Amino acid sequence: MKTFMANAQTVERKWYVVDADGMTLGRLASQVAAILRGDHVIVINAAKVVLTGKKLDQKVYYHHSGYVGGLKETKYSKLMAEKPEFAVKHAILGMMPKGPLGRQMARKLRVYAGAEHEHEAQKPEVLELVK
């Protein structure tokens, strides 16, 4: 028997389109993070993702400017209204490994607020996730 070892020449990476319309943010993020281990993922309709409970009003995104006293905070209601792509991408990246493997996986993710995307040349397959 010969041992099979996959390498870059033998692995075929697929492209998937995931419609985030009506999906819960955390559930979407965990399922997409699992798919990104091997394949490319395009997330469309990020503006229509759902946050359960009171998260839209109570959940806060923090970032720091690098200066003393530079902690900034943004409520998710404002973040989802202004930059829904960032909110979805941030949730997905938070569920991926930290380090070189996670950065490599992050390069295979594309997120769009609307239903339009520019990756028709890759012939992506529509992927239905569990809601």
Side-chain angles (χ1 to χ4, degrees), residues 30-89:
S30 63
Q31 292 178 27
V32 168
I35 297 165
L36 282 171
R37 288 191 177 271
D39 300 318
H40 294 261
V41 177
I42 304 163
V43 179
I44 58 172
N45 290 326
K48 297 180 182 177
V49 77
V50 176
L51 276 82
T52 59
K54 298 180 182 178
K55 290 189 193 90
L56 205 58
D57 298 322
Q58 293 178 351
K59 189 172 173 70
V60 179
Y61 167 69
Y62 295 99
H63 65 281
H64 201 281
S65 67
Y67 291 98
V68 176
L71 184 64
K72 310 289 182 188
E73 59 182 44
T74 308
K75 289 196 179 227
Y76 260 73
S77 56
K78 183 178 179 187
L79 192 65
M80 289 300 293
E82 294 177 359
K83 297 190 281 186
E85 310 96 348
F86 176 79
V88 171
K89 191 169 186 174

Side-chain angles (χ1 to χ4, degrees), residues 79-116:
L79 192 65
M80 289 300 293
E82 294 177 359
K83 297 190 281 186
E85 310 96 348
F86 176 79
V88 171
K89 191 169 186 174
H90 186 259
I92 295 170
L93 294 180
M95 296 197 181
M96 295 190 335
K98 281 40 171 193
L101 178 63
R103 287 190 291 274
Q104 183 182 10
M105 289 166 57
R107 287 198 301 265
K108 296 185 283 186
L109 174 66
R110 313 302 196 280
V111 181
Y112 297 98
E116 308 298 320

